[in-house]
């Protein structure tokens, strides 16, 4: 850009050449100067606004102060809402853990030591002024996050304990430890005896219970019915598979009240006592086998309640 300067003091006109970069720099300097002037004016106005009695300035200050207060209140409300949501989540998880812990305590047989319906007692001397202070939102939020991580860890650990206890409960339910008849007495024991039909020595693979015809026959342990059928020698029989290769047999029944494939619980009614098959009178023939090897049922019925399931099986294998 060329600028021609004409003046009476000049003998002739002068031509000044200005480049585009010089124009841009001049414009930026002008804008910067205006911005700094406005910023300085605002700073001086705000700094000495209290001493200025101009109604417009006082109204402007009041509006800005009110807007700042409203924004601060809005920010605090949002922070409180976020903390309330986190606290609600923690309370819900605590309720689930309380119910979980109460159930585990009952399963484990713990009485009185853990009362999940009451808040645990805490206390101590009052802290001194130098040892106490207000908790900031950041600190409180961090503590809530720590509590959340602890709850997750405790829930995982309680889940593992519940699995272990569940395995123990299932193992106990799969061991034949209850009498298969509600009333009656032994008529023939496990082991060698004189066969009542041919008078020869023969191995008796179970125990016999004498009771009134039609007496209830109960599952000595939980399991799955593997057979509910007629057998030439056993008559009406029910076989139940349990855990660890254990099976129980209930023979000479007058009625079978379950069928193959049924899942039965310990103590569940599975049939009625009778005199079917090779029998001299109404009775129940009861067997316990491990992988088809006969075990002494009396060892389970007499000792299993006071021993661990594995020990009960070991004791039943003994001659």
């Amino acid at each position: 850009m060329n600028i021609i300067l004409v003046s009476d003091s000049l003998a002739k006109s002068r031509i000044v050449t200005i480049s585009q970069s010089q124009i841009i720099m001049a414009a930026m300097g002008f804008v910067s100067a205006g911005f700094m002037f406005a910023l300085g004016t605002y700073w001086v106005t705000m700094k000495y606004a209290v001493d200025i009695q101009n109604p417009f300035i006082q109204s402007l200050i009041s509006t800005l102060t009110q807007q700042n207060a409203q924004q601060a209140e809005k920010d605090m409300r949002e922070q409180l809402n976020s903390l309330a949501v986190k606290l609600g989540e923690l309370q819900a998880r605590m309720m689930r853990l309380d119910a979980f812990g109460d159930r585990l305590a009952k399963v484990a047989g713990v009485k009185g030591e853990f009362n999940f319906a009451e808040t645990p007692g805490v206390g101590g001397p009052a802290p001194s002024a130098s040892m106490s202070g207000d908790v900031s939102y950041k600190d409180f939020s961090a503590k809530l996050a720590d509590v959340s991580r602890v709850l997750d860890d405790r829930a995982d650990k309680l889940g593992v304990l519940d699995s272990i206890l569940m395995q123990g409960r299932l193992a106990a339910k799969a061991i034949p430890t209850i009498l298969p008849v509600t009333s009656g007495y032994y008529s023939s024991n496990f082991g060698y005896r004189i066969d009542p039909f041919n008078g020869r020595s023969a191995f008796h693979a179970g125990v016999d219970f004498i009771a009134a015809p039609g007496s209830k026959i109960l599952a000595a342990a939980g399991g799955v019915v593997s057979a509910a059928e007629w057998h030439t020698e056993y008559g009406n029989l029910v076989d139940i598979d349990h855990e660890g290769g254990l099976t129980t047999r209930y023979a000479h029944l007058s009625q079978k009240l379950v069928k193959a494939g049924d899942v039965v619980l310990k103590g569940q009614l599975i049939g009625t006592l009778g005199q079917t098959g090779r029998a001299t009178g109404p009775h129940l023939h009861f067997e316990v086998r491990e992988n088809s090897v006969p075990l002494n049922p009396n060892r389970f019925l007499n000792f299993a309640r006071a021993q661990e399931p594995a020990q009960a099986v070991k004791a039943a294998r003994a001659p």
Side-chain angles (χ1 to χ4, degrees):
M1 174 184 287
N2 296 324
I3 298 176
I4 301 175
L5 300 177
V6 179
S7 175
D8 293 337
S9 61
L10 298 175
K12 59 179 181 179
S13 60
R14 297 181 61 181
I15 299 175
V16 178
T17 302
I18 301 175
S19 65
Q20 184 177 3
S21 60
Q22 291 175 331
I23 296 175
I24 294 175
M25 291 294 293
M28 290 180 61
F30 179 77
V31 172
S32 298
F35 176 77
M36 294 300 295
F37 176 77
L39 184 62
T41 302
Y42 176 80
W43 181 82
V44 171
T45 302
M46 292 297 102
K47 180 175 179 62
Y48 299 102
V50 177
D51 300 328
I52 299 176
Q53 301 300 322
N54 187 291
F56 173 76
I57 295 179
Q58 292 295 328
S59 175
L60 178 61
I61 294 173
S62 176
T63 301
L64 292 175
T65 303
Q66 185 177 5
Q67 289 177 350
N68 291 335
Q70 291 175 349
Q71 183 63 39
E73 182 181 358
K74 181 181 178 181
D75 293 341
M76 182 174 292
R77 191 182 305 114
E78 290 177 352
Q79 292 176 351
L80 289 175
N81 288 339
S82 65
L83 290 178
V85 171
K86 292 180 180 178
L87 184 60
E89 293 176 353
L90 291 179
Q91 287 175 333
R93 291 163 64 184
M94 286 294 294
M95 290 178 63
R96 288 197 296 269
L97 282 180
D98 285 345
F100 196 13
D102 187 58
R103 183 168 66 85
L104 287 179
K106 290 179 180 178
V107 171
V110 179
K111 298 180 181 179
E113 289 86 348
F114 302 104
N115 188 349
F116 293 92
E118 294 182 357
T119 302
V122 294
S128 61
S130 61
M131 299 293 291
S132 62
D134 295 333
V135 179
S136 66
Y137 168 80
K138 183 178 180 181
D139 292 338
F140 188 70
S141 181
K143 290 182 183 299
L144 282 182
D146 291 339
V147 172
S148 179
R149 286 191 291 270
V150 171
L151 286 179
D152 289 338
D153 178 71
R154 297 299 182 270
D156 292 340
K157 286 181 171 62
L158 286 176
V160 173
L161 289 176
D162 184 53
S163 298
I164 294 173
L165 289 174
M166 178 64 74
Q167 290 176 0
R169 294 196 301 272
L170 291 176
K173 290 180 180 179
I175 299 298
T177 56
I178 67 170
L179 288 172
V181 291
T182 55
S183 61
Y185 59 93
Y186 288 111
S187 64
S188 185
N189 218 329
F190 176 84
Y192 283 93
R193 65 171 186 177
I194 301 300
D195 186 277
F197 286 92
N198 58 27
R200 301 180 62 182
S201 177
F203 183 76
H204 188 226
V207 294
D208 292 340
F209 294 92
I210 298 293
S215 297
K216 294 179 179 180
I217 304 301
L218 310 178
V224 179
V225 177
S226 58
E229 60 192 18
W230 170 266
H231 189 278
T232 304
E233 296 184 345
Y234 287 108
N236 287 324
L237 68 82
V238 171
D239 286 346
I240 300 178
D241 281 343
H242 310 289
E243 209 174 66
L246 287 177
T247 61
T248 51
R249 171 165 291 184
Y250 312 80
H252 308 307
L253 306 180
S254 60
Q255 264 188 312
K256 306 182 298 292
L257 301 180
V258 291
K259 62 182 183 300
D262 286 350
V263 177
V264 297
L265 303 177
K266 178 179 284 190
Q268 181 176 329
L269 178 65
I270 60 173
T272 55
L273 187 141
Q275 187 186 343
T276 58
R278 190 171 183 264
T280 59
H283 73 284
L284 170 70
H285 174 82
F286 176 65
E287 293 183 8
V288 178
R289 293 175 179 264
E290 182 184 30
N291 298 323
S292 301
V293 177
L295 302 179
N296 187 350
N298 291 317
R299 298 296 178 89
F300 290 93
L301 302 177
N302 294 337
F303 303 118
R305 290 188 184 90
Q307 301 182 39
E308 294 294 327
Q311 294 175 322
V313 175
K314 183 177 180 180
R317 294 189 187 124

